[in-house]
Amino acid sequence: MWADFPRKQLNSATSWIDGSQIYGISKGWADILRSGTGGKLKTDESGNPAKNTWGVPMSSALKPHTCKYPDIKQLHLFGDGRSNENPGIYALHWLFFKEHNKIAGELARKGSYQNDKWLFDKSRYLTIAKLQKISLDAVKAVIDPETLLEYRGYNASADPAINFLYAGAVKYFFLTMIPDIIYISNANCSLKESDIRLCNTYWDAQKVVERFGPEAFLRGLAYQPAAKVDLHIVNDIRSNFYGPMHWTRRDGIAVAIQRGRDLGVPPLNTVLRHYDLPAITWEVWRDKLNTETYEALKSLYEDDEEKVELYIGGMLLSQAEERMTEVFRLILAEQIYKLREGDRYWFENENNGMGCTKEEIEEIRATTLKDILIRNEVDISDLHDDDDGNVFLLSGLVDDCKLDNSAFNLSECEGDMLLHYDYNTTPYAVPLLVPVFLIFTMVLTVALTRTVHARSKSPKNVVQDEDIDPEALNLGKITELGAKEGIRTVKLCFDETAEALNIKSKGKVVRSISFKKFTNLPLVTCSNNRLVLLICIPKEYDILLKFGSVRKKELALEELTNFCTGASVEIETQQLTEKQIINMAKTEKHRQHLVNTFLSSVFAEMMQAENSNGVVENGHQSQRGSMDSNKSDLKGVGSHVLECELSRSEFASALGLRPDQEFVEKVFPLVDKDNNGSISFREFLSFMIVYSTGSSDDKLKLIFNMYDYDKNGSLHVDEIKQMITSMLQMVSASIDSEELSRLIQSLLEQANLGEKDELTFEEFRTVMAAYRKDIEKANLAVQGGGKSAKPAQKNKVFTAMRSQARGREIKRLIENHRLEIFYSLVFSGIVLVLFFERFITYSKYKDHTGYPQLLGYSLSLTRGSAAVLMFTFPIFLVLMCKNTITHLRGTFIKRYIPLDANRAAHIYLGCVTLIFILIHCIGHGYNFYMITTLSPDHLSCLMPRTWLDGTGQATIVGLLFGTITGITGILLVLALLTMYICATQYARRYLHRWFWNTHQLYPLVLGLMVLHGAGRLLQEPTFHFYLAGPAILFTLDKLISVSRKKREIPLIEAKILPSEVTNLVFKRPVDFHYLAGQYVNIALVNSGTGRDEYHPFTLTSAPHEDYLSVHIRTCKGWTKVLRDLVIKNQKNPEKNPNLFVDGPFGEAHQDYSNYEVVILVGGGIGVTPFASILKDLVHKASSMQTSLSKVKKVYFLWSTRTQKQFEWLLDIIGKCEKEDTRNLLDTHIFITRFYEKSDLRTTMLYICERQFQGISNRSLFTGLKAVTHFGRPNFSSIFNHIALTHEEVRKFGVFVCGPGTMSDAVKLACSKITGKQSFVAYAENF
């Protein structure tokens, strides 16, 4: 039965009539209200309640007529948070506030009190007692007094809770009696204001009451008649009732009906039977209602009389009876009875322990509301005919005070209904947070960029003596506009001896212009901006300058005029506007574009010439290849390209050389046939056609003529030496004279010309006869128009073959990375399960909480993403346990867990976490908007533990900055955004300090994560359960590192090596054990770089050596500081700082001994881990250690720009070659600064290399047995060759360390290996 199991709603305040609206619902609230003297409540100077400067949570809903929230700290301080709802409630609160202070004053004057507390408690009790008595009077005015049972004393078994029938139905009966206007009167019933609409005072009562005074409102309420008991509800309640922000005006009756349904109030007939009253049938309804109302009622409840709701039915019966219907009166009487009987402190209970005498009780029983009004200076003595007038009734009211509510003209309700949000649509205000995040991201990015820019412009990177360059004119700051790099500051230097104008920037000559080549020099000055000057250089790009002052510009013109006079160059001057000058200027950018077009047009003509004239005869191109380009009509070439001529520097740049290199010095005069100092389109095209399609004799003849210095038709041995030296110079290589003589002698002896000192062309051709095919295939690599002059042939591959190859690559990828793929799928699966489990739970199975109805799917998104983030954040700690991971590498676990994928896992985890952080933030953007539109009633139900700015009404500011969840959320987003931005490749490369410092925020982030859930907005925090295990593991792992970091390790030796490499050799601790290929973290002690700034470096020493060493390439920041310290202390090495060393830590390279055939691929400084591996490998092989028994062959492929870039490694390789008695090591060095193998210059060097290798069994360039190659390695071809060489091997280990592009190329080549063999790549990028 419903009566046994009623559906009750929790009461957040109190159900008793205990004066909580005067003294608050808690002791803390009551203590704030007390003045502390005389037992009184706090007042202001005028005697009114004090302002709420303490921020007590006064309910402050939206004022619907202004759509604004009042400031709660400006409200008067009462015990009821709803005191500001309307003027009537406010005035009654004021009345009993005054009554308390009056009673306290009377008690104090009697002198019978003990202290302030006794006075307050006594006054409080007497005030509450009067409130209880007056509340009974108000009830008796509505129901028959005999309905209320006589008070029989306190009954401990009585349930004083609010009856859900009263809360869901009877309470709302009184809405029909509320008028739409508020009377304001003086003592003689004359109105001060007749049109104060109730709808215009909601939640703005204090402002309205302060205008007229609370006495005027109380007098008005004392004689204003209530509205008639019927079905007609005033519009102020019916359609203009207050509501939340998303619906500022709503239907109060609809709210009342829905409230009853929410509380589970049973139908009318069920309640009637419970109270032994007859049920209402349709026949009874027909008699009580008019026809229209009767038919509407039957239609509404589908002709089922048992469905008629208690509130609707009760109101219809009340209208028919013109008073509260009987069932309502019984419910109300029962509620009052239980409240009275169940209250131990009820004023009529003589044993309540409050110490009241019978006389005081009788005095309270005789008190009426009229008495209290008069006691507090609200003069209503003239309202009634007798002194005992009941202000709750119209009886006894004097005729002059009897008024009709309908007699007044009503003003309109202010403020339209504002429908901001529909729960089934998307809010437009979600992006409140998104712009904040974007702005922060942009600000941080700009800060990082500015920092890098500032560093690049710092005094350390600027030539100090630039401003006092003795060769430059003292013209202040001159800005060159339109340079290749944009805008740059330059200085002008006139070289009168060479008749050249040199332009310097940062102390270096960036351009030299010879005035010998022309007779006229056009100058353009600016008519509207006198600071701009354009110098037009014939056949080259112009110079556009901007000076700091007019005087500096005039000085520059004067110097230029004098210089031109001395060089016999005539100046032609004109004036244009700045816009015209910029449009006509042919700056460096324009010139570069023209040169690129020039070169592209040359190659287009070459291809056309080859297609039309290149005839193949017996495998050799015919001599037609050496055609004269003048025969070509060049119809497809624009006139601006034909008129363009290349300067010496542009010609050198096209060949990838410097203008001062000997190859350029020799070739340029040969190409410049008209000797005008520049190369025309036809001259360059003719030269390139010879290189592209000419025979081997044509190309040899060109080289012969280049180095025939004395033009006597023969090459002397010294000239041949000069030829080889100049070609080596192009790639920064060198050879001593003795070895060069041996090389040339070998070439001559091979052609039976060993005794010759001079060679004719025929003899030179004989020397090169063995290499005829190589020379014939050679061309000339040119930059800007393509990689080579020879057009590449396109291979036709069928789609089916491509699909098969792609399928094999995918299959190989899965096979080589099956563990990584498995764990990635497992992790992704867990993430999806966590997300969708929470998403579905909050979408489908949380209806009883009201979350889905109020917040929709946005809450589901935030809870699902929160579950994922609680799972992913602790995993970061596990991935950072480097000591643990290093230890696990030596156990069987590494077979089942891809420990080498630690970095990739970190990146993948970071990406997943970032995605769900964004989902979480976007979801909260929706949540915040919807929460701020909810009413205080909804909020108190949704988040009962949250103190929202002390108001009960949520705001964006309150949610973000007024809750621990909001504050920690903002800090988390800012911290994580900073960490993510500083973790980009750009930041790690150029701003490593930022990267290091921001990633030290992880303890703060985890702490904020714990606090983020401590707010308990919607559920109990659970993150600490996820965090506990990983945090303990990480702490233990970190303690190991901390114990090592405390040890200072002295430097044994610090050396500065070529190519900006610093070598550190330091003492090896006794307990330091490591494997080849492992790395350590290093920090400098007392160096000014930061004690905790650790950087990882691979050890280049081998495990059998009694010292530790690293090779560090100097970039910027920490490495630059280290190099400067070493240089500074070269004479006093004892001043070098000691080191903090943390490690060793493992990586994939240490597992090289697990493969029979090992391929080591290094690029640049990436060879450092292989230095240790090579020494360790050869040492174990020479000492026949069993740990190396599995390794049968090691291929070392080193790609470097020049052989001199890392000469220290050549020494290590040379030492390994000497100790390699088992022929275990096969080394190949690829020098990438050389042009591609098909280039004629590289072909000549390759010929020399093969010849030198044959006579000395070592490389011409490196001095090693290792094979030297030119250009970048073709990994696919190399791996296929190795696979064929070792057909019995099924799995090859490929270990890569170098640039990311190299790693990608190696991985791609490994995936293309077909058959049963597989190449497994392990990459470490820098």
Side-chain angles (χ1 to χ4, degrees), residues 513-534:
I513 303 168
S514 175
F515 278 52
K516 297 178 180 179
K517 299 185 297 182
F518 45 84
T519 59
N520 296 326
L521 181 67
L523 295 180
V524 184
T525 59
C526 187
S527 58
N528 58 352
N529 187 341
R530 300 173 63 190
L531 303 179
V532 176
L533 174 65
L534 176 65

Side-chain angles (χ1 to χ4, degrees), residues 1116-1127:
K1116 294 181 179 180
W1118 190 91
T1119 57
K1120 180 68 166 58
V1121 172
L1122 171 64
R1123 184 175 178 85
D1124 292 343
L1125 285 173
V1126 173
I1127 293 175

